[in-house]
Amino acid sequence: MKWTRRLRYINAKAKLIILVAGICLLLLILFLLPSGKVNQNKATWLWDASLIRSETEEIVAFSGREGITTIFLQIQKEVTEEEYRRFVAAAHQKGISVHALGGQPDWAYGEGQGQGMELLTWLDEYNQASAPEEKFEGVQFDVEPYVLRRWDREQVQVVEEWSANMKVWVQEAERQNLPLSAAVPFWLDSIPGPKGENSDSFSRWMIQNTDAIAVMAYRDSGEQMYELSKEELKQADELGKSVWIGMELGDTEEGEHLTFFTKSEQEMEDEALSAAKLGSDHSSFAGLAVHHYQAWVHKRTVMVEEKR
C-alpha cells in the first residue's frame, strides 16, 4: 500500500510539473510571437506654402526620410496654381498624399461659411484643371473658434454655427469626391454635440460627419498623447473613420509639457514610437500628425549640430 501511495504521489507530482512546464512554454511562445504591426505613418502641417517655390525637393526628401505619407498644405493666394501643381506632382511621385489646408477661428461663425466654400470652390477648379498626379487628394479644415472670446460667452451657439458650416463643407467635399478631415482639440469629447443631433459629444459628431480628424493631443509623452486621443479613437473605431494623433515640436508659451521642442532626439523618437504602438491597437489609427513641418526641420537641424 505504501508503494501504491508513493506511486500516486509521484504521478501527481509529475502531472503538476508537466502542467507548470506547459504553462511556462505557452507564456514563452506568446512572448516570442511577433506583436501587432505598428502603424508608423506620419502626417505634417505645412503652413508656409511659399516654401514650395524653392524647397520642393528638400521638403519631399525630408518627408521620405521621416516616414511622412500625408502633407496638409495651406492654400495661400500668394502661391500660384502652377507652383502647387509642381509640388503636388513631386510629392505624389514619392507616394506622398497632399491635402489642401485652410481655416480661421471665425470660420466657425455663420458668416464664415462662405470663406470655407471659397476654399472648396478654388480646390474644385484647381483639381479639374490639373493632371491626376497634380491633384489634391483631400482637404482639411483647421477651425478653432475657442481661441476667440465669443466661445466663453456663447459656446452652445458657436457649436450650432460651426456644425452647420461643417455640414455644408462636407456636402460640397462629397460632391467633389474629396475626403475631408478636421483638426480638433482633444477635449472636444467633453463638449455636447449640436442640438437635435444623434451624438453624445461634439467629437463624435465631428467623426460622424468627416472622413478623419487630427486630434491636437499635444504633450511631451507618447502615453499621454494616446490617452488624450483614446476616446476619439474608440469613437472612430465604432464609426469606421480615421484618427491622427497630434504631436507638437514647435516652441510654445503654453508650457514645455505640450511640446518636444526642448527634448532630445532619443526622447522624441521613443515617445513617438510609444504613441504609435498604443494607437495601433485601434483600427481607426491613421498615424501621428506632427506640428509642424518647419518646426520638425528645425528640430532635426539642431540635433545634427549638437552631435557635431
Side-chain angles (χ1 to χ4, degrees), residues 194-236:
K195 294 177 182 177
E197 301 280 351
N198 186 27
S199 296
D200 54 10
S201 67
F202 199 19
S203 65
R204 178 178 286 274
W205 186 94
M206 279 287 188
I207 294 167
Q208 285 174 325
N209 287 275
T210 62
D211 295 285
I213 63 169
V215 182
M216 294 179 280
Y218 300 151
R219 290 293 185 274
D220 61 358
S221 156
E223 184 176 356
Q224 289 178 18
M225 287 159 54
Y226 168 73
E227 287 296 327
L228 293 178
S229 307
K230 186 165 63 176
E231 184 63 27
E232 284 75 14
L233 287 161
K234 288 179 179 179
Q235 292 171 344

Side-chain angles (χ1 to χ4, degrees), residues 42-49 52 55-64 67-75 84 87-88 90-92 94-101 135-140 181 244 288-290 292-294 296:
K42 295 183 180 69
T44 193
W45 286 273
L46 179 48
W47 292 105
D48 185 1
I52 69 175
E55 299 181 27
T56 287
E57 290 184 7
E58 292 86 345
I59 295 168
V60 172
F62 180 89
S63 298
I68 297 170
T69 56
T70 304
I71 295 175
F72 303 121
L73 177 60
Q74 188 172 38
I75 303 305
Y84 279 117
F87 177 80
V88 174
H92 283 179
K94 298 299 182 180
I96 302 167
S97 177
V98 185
H99 293 207
L101 171 65
K135 293 182 178 182
F136 285 96
E137 295 186 63
V139 58
Q140 182 174 100
S181 65
W244 296 91
L288 299 181
V290 181
H292 50 88
Y293 169 76
Q294 286 173 278
W296 202 345

Side-chain angles (χ1 to χ4, degrees), residues 126-274:
Y126 168 93
N127 275 351
Q128 288 191 39
S130 301
E133 69 276 9
E134 299 169 338
K135 293 182 178 182
F136 285 96
E137 295 186 63
V139 58
Q140 182 174 100
F141 282 86
D142 184 5
V143 179
E144 305 181 40
Y146 41 85
V147 302
L148 302 177
R149 292 181 179 178
R150 189 181 168 207
W151 179 260
D152 294 328
R153 300 194 311 265
E154 304 175 44
Q155 183 186 108
V156 173
Q157 181 58 33
V158 172
V159 166
E160 294 297 318
E161 295 178 31
W162 188 2
S163 59
N165 289 354
M166 286 295 298
K167 279 187 175 181
V168 172
W169 300 334
V170 167
Q171 185 176 25
E172 174 57 22
E174 288 177 346
R175 187 192 68 78
Q176 296 182 32
N177 195 29
L178 201 64
L180 183 148
S181 65
V184 301
F186 66 84
W187 46 260
L188 208 65
D189 53 33
S190 66
I191 303 299
K195 294 177 182 177
E197 301 280 351
N198 186 27
S199 296
D200 54 10
S201 67
F202 199 19
S203 65
R204 178 178 286 274
W205 186 94
M206 279 287 188
I207 294 167
Q208 285 174 325
N209 287 275
T210 62
D211 295 285
I213 63 169
V215 182
M216 294 179 280
Y218 300 151
R219 290 293 185 274
D220 61 358
S221 156
E223 184 176 356
Q224 289 178 18
M225 287 159 54
Y226 168 73
E227 287 296 327
L228 293 178
S229 307
K230 186 165 63 176
E231 184 63 27
E232 284 75 14
L233 287 161
K234 288 179 179 179
Q235 292 171 344
D237 286 345
E238 298 172 14
L239 297 167
K241 301 298 181 71
S242 298
V243 172
W244 296 91
I245 295 179
M247 178 178 181
E248 178 66 81
L249 301 189
D251 193 8
T252 174
E253 296 178 354
E254 296 180 55
E256 288 189 8
H257 67 291
L258 302 180
T259 178
F260 289 91
F261 183 74
T262 61
K263 304 299 179 181
S264 70
E265 181 175 18
Q266 194 59 55
E267 285 177 300
M268 182 180 76
E269 297 293 351
D270 289 347
E271 297 303 328
L273 182 59
S274 173

